[in-house]
Amino acid sequence: MFFLLLPLLVLAVDAQQPLPLNSINTFTTSTSLFGLPASSQLTVSVAICVSEASSARFFLSNSPSVVPAPGGGADVFEIQLTDGSGQWSGSAPSGGLLSVQDLQQGSFQIFVSDNGTTYQVLDQLPLLGDTTSNQTILFSHPFLPMPIAQPTFPNYTLPPANLAAPDIPSSIPNFTLVIAPASAQLSSLPQTACALLNAPSTGSIVGNDPWLRSSEGWRSQWLVDGLSPSTNYTAYVIQDALKVSGPIYFATKSGNFQCPLVYSLPYCPSTAYAVPLPPLPSRTFGYNATSLPDSITLPLLQYMTNFTTMLTTFACGRDLYSPLQTCADCQTHYRTWLCSISFPRCSEPAPGNNGTAASSSSLGTAAQVPLSALQPQPSGSLSRSPNFPNATYDYSSLLPCLETCNAVDRACPYFLGIKCPTTKFNAAESYGVGFIDSGNDDEIGNGITGLAQDRWGNVWCNGN
Ligand SMILES: *[C@@H]1O[C@H](CO)[C@@H](O)[C@H](O)[C@H]1NC(C)=O
Ligand SMILES: *[C@@H]1O[C@H](CO)[C@@H](O)[C@H](O)[C@H]1NC(C)=O
Ligand SMILES: *[C@@H]1O[C@H](CO)[C@@H](O)[C@H](O)[C@H]1NC(C)=O
Ligand SMILES: *[C@@H]1O[C@H](CO)[C@@H](O)[C@H](O)[C@H]1NC(C)=O
Ligand SMILES: *[C@@H]1O[C@H](CO)[C@@H](O)[C@H](O)[C@H]1NC(C)=O
Ligand SMILES: *[C@@H]1O[C@H](CO)[C@@H](O)[C@H](O)[C@H]1NC(C)=O
Ligand SMILES: *[C@@H]1O[C@H](CO)[C@@H](O)[C@H](O)[C@H]1NC(C)=O
Ligand SMILES: *[C@@H]1O[C@H](CO)[C@@H](O)[C@H](O)[C@H]1NC(C)=O
Ligand SMILES: *[C@@H]1O[C@H](CO)[C@@H](O)[C@H](O)[C@H]1NC(C)=O
């Protein structure tokens, strides 16, 4: 036995293909034994790139002289795959070997790392900004958190109303957006970067930039054109060809949806949705800081300036009005609220969700799916926002979530006299009520949906 086995083993070890650290290696059937570099902290992760490769089994040994195979003993580990990828971490002081068995067809990838980087499905999801009939704005998960800057006394200076575009971070992950109609069933592929990057992606990306959307941090923003009306889509964001974020689902609006998108406003960084403004010339993606009329921008900036002036009559940073909140927090929440009421949002009932104006009674019905906080705005009706033109076409407005107002109330000093409407007194006429927090005043949490929008494309109220 030994006579026979030993030369075979040596032969096999000789035939190994070395795997370099920290680079993506793609293989098809031919090679099946790989050499692993020595490291006290080795992470080996594998990903299959097509469903046909799912028969493959991956065995690893952290000793360069033990050929890994099924039932191989103490130093042999099998890497189990979940949704198409799997990993092993441990010590391999003198290197190791990886073997691939039972691969019938298709390709797979191996990534060997000494700092814990692996193929993985991230918990954090991409974020839908909004859609029109043939466009969408999508964001990656935040990749660099940017908490609200807290100035200190005696130089307690708050950001100006017209925020300067912040400096772009020096290191940005390589993000790739993948979109396909729901009919392409991306979610039935292996949920791996290589499988999703190989899938055909629809839509044309007309803009992609890092964007500091909120204190959650920097995200990558995509402006996508060329989609089809009333169609369900699936989207993923792939980071560095290794990490998968998603899927999220969204639907484009119907063909008669006319509201254009507003995006990339430094003074309203989280505004990225459809608004009831006049249509733009085709080839223009939407309204941004350059094209928005001054009649909308200037009053908004003036409200923001006046509010900041009033706020700073308080000895911000010296005296405290709350153990939890600061003037900077107050200003940030006020900006979010001001932007959400200054830019009315257009929407449509989701397919299968016949929206009406939210009221506590419509929310409380036995319907399985709650109705979005939509209010019909027939053509010619008076605009809800004083600086907006009156409607020149029919649309439905999606009301701001009441929580955007309550957040200002909670974060700001009492002397500013901020008062949000209460459920008892008609809050539902101007806000989406009961989605995030329960409709009962002063009760945080326990709303019917718990959020303004979900990964399935439902948007209950405008939470931006
Ligand atoms: C791991 O190393 C790679 C290559 O040197 C680097 O790009 C990556 O940022 C590192 N990752 C972590 C989590 O340190
Ligand atoms: C006060 O803070 C602002 C913003 O941080 C800074 O631009 C300014 O130079 C500071 N002024 C003084 C006098 O330190
Ligand atoms: C997208 O839809 C708008 C409004 O329905 C239309 O004017 C425009 O031509 C469409 N764009 C493309 C590329 O189909
Ligand atoms: C899109 O998805 C919704 C909800 O899942 C469903 O009700 C609707 O029929 C789908 N529409 C199309 C065109 O497939
Ligand atoms: C980013 O990732 C994509 C998809 O893997 C790849 O095609 C592209 O070359 C990468 N770009 C850079 C700058 O690394
Ligand atoms: C704003 O829109 C104009 C016209 O569509 C475009 O040329 C410009 O690049 C956009 N600016 C930003 C910052 O996106
Ligand atoms: C802001 O304050 C100025 C000066 O007090 C005042 O003239 C103006 O009307 C105020 N603007 C708004 C929008 O409240
Ligand atoms: C929504 O439902 C109501 C009552 O069930 C019905 O009268 C109305 O036509 C529906 N609207 C749409 C847009 O389907
Ligand atoms: C909107 O309509 C109202 C009533 O019809 C009118 O008084 C007002 O001037 C209009 N506003 C604009 C900006 O056109």
Side-chain angles (χ1 to χ4, degrees):
M1 273 299 257
F2 266 102
F3 282 105
L4 278 176
L5 251 182
L6 209 54
L8 266 180
L9 181 84
V10 170
L11 197 76
V13 173
D14 280 349
Q16 65 178 266
Q17 174 165 351
L19 291 171
L21 270 177
N22 301 322
S23 75
I24 290 170
N25 302 279
T26 307
F27 300 101
T28 48
T29 36
S30 52
T31 317
S32 61
L33 189 63
F34 301 93
L36 301 171
S39 167
S40 58
Q41 275 191 306
L42 195 67
T43 306
V44 178
S45 62
V46 297
I48 57 168
C49 303
V50 287
S51 308
E52 288 76 12
S54 52
S55 58
R57 294 176 73 190
F58 298 84
F59 294 90
L60 175 149
S61 77
N62 56 349
S63 156
S65 58
V66 177
V67 174
D75 291 329
V76 174
F77 308 89
E78 178 168 8
I79 301 179
Q80 302 289 344
L81 303 189
T82 307
D83 288 334
S85 68
Q87 56 172 284
W88 175 88
S89 298
S91 166
S94 41
L97 292 168
L98 175 78
S99 79
V100 185
Q101 318 259 329
D102 301 338
L103 177 71
Q104 257 122 49
Q105 64 179 121
S107 56
F108 61 89
Q109 291 187 339
I110 310 174
F111 191 83
V112 183
S113 151
D114 57 359
N115 66 7
T117 304
T118 61
Y119 293 105
Q120 68 183 115
V121 176
L122 299 171
D123 292 334
Q124 287 180 295
L125 295 172
L127 177 72
L128 171 68
D130 205 355
T131 57
T132 65
S133 65
N134 53 20
Q135 300 166 298
T136 183
I137 300 179
L138 292 169
F139 297 92
S140 72
H141 60 277
F143 62 87
L144 180 64
M146 199 53 68
I148 298 171
Q150 300 291 346
T152 50
F153 191 79
N155 180 19
Y156 201 100
T157 315
L158 289 170
N162 197 358
L163 283 177
D167 291 338
I168 307 249
S170 55
S171 152
I172 300 167
N174 177 7
F175 289 114
T176 310
L177 174 67
V178 178
I179 301 183
S183 56
Q185 298 195 305
L186 290 188
S187 55
S188 65
L189 294 178
Q191 299 296 285
T192 59
C194 57
L196 294 162
L197 288 170
N198 288 339
S201 186
T202 39
S204 72
I205 294 171
V206 298
N208 176 216
D209 288 298
W211 187 251
L212 181 54
R213 193 172 181 277
S214 70
S215 59
E216 288 175 325
W218 285 90
R219 298 172 185 260
S220 193
Q221 172 183 259
W222 286 271
L223 313 177
V224 183
D225 216 336
L227 301 178
S228 309
S230 300
T231 305
N232 290 331
Y233 288 93
T234 310
Y236 290 85
V237 170
I238 312 299
Q239 181 178 341
D240 298 329
L242 284 167
K243 298 175 189 174
V244 172
S245 167
I248 61 164
Y249 304 89
F250 64 90
T252 43
K253 307 288 195 317
S254 65
N256 43 31
F257 184 81
Q258 297 197 52
C259 299
L261 294 165
V262 165
Y263 68 98
S264 293
L265 308 179
Y267 45 87
C268 285
S270 58
T271 303
Y273 53 79
V275 297
L277 282 171
L280 280 159
S282 59
R283 289 169 191 265
T284 311
F285 185 80
Y287 287 91
N288 61 24
T290 330
S291 45
L292 258 187
D294 283 352
S295 58
I296 293 173
T297 312
L298 296 180
L300 190 161
L301 294 176
Q302 207 178 52
Y303 276 115
M304 197 65 215
T305 304
N306 288 8
F307 179 82
T308 307
T309 305
M310 269 189 359
L311 173 60
T312 47
T313 60
F314 185 82
C316 293
R318 192 193 69 192
D319 296 347
L320 296 180
Y321 58 86
S322 154
L324 299 175
Q325 307 281 359
T326 64
C327 292
D329 299 335
C330 164
Q331 194 209 30
T332 301
H333 288 291
Y334 180 80
R335 185 187 295 278
T336 306
W337 172 81
L338 180 66
C339 293
S340 77
I341 58 147
S342 301
F343 291 102
R345 178 163 175 174
C346 301
S347 195
E348 261 184 357
N353 181 354
N354 175 350
T356 61
S359 68
S360 9
S361 61
S362 72
L363 297 179
T365 58
Q368 304 90 326
V369 190
L371 304 175
S372 298
L374 289 173
Q375 253 182 8
Q377 308 286 324
S379 169
S381 63
L382 195 58
S383 173
R384 296 170 49 81
S385 178
N387 304 309
F388 258 62
N390 294 338
T392 55
Y393 46 79
D394 296 343
Y395 71 97
S396 289
S397 98
L398 182 76
L399 302 178
C401 308
L402 181 59
E403 291 72 16
T404 57
C405 185
N406 289 337
V408 187
D409 184 5
R410 257 179 238 128
C412 291
Y414 185 75
F415 79 87
L416 289 173
I418 287 151
K419 277 261 175 284
C420 300
T422 61
T423 313
K424 268 186 244 142
F425 295 102
N426 292 338
E429 307 239 307
S430 35
Y431 287 98
V433 178
F435 294 102
I436 301 175
D437 296 341
S438 88
N440 300 325
D441 303 324
D442 297 330
E443 210 173 289
I444 301 181
N446 298 319
I448 10 175
T449 59
L451 13 91
Q453 65 183 77
D454 66 12
R455 74 185 294 183
W456 311 105
N458 298 300
V459 186
W460 317 112
C461 52
N462 185 14
N464 298 305

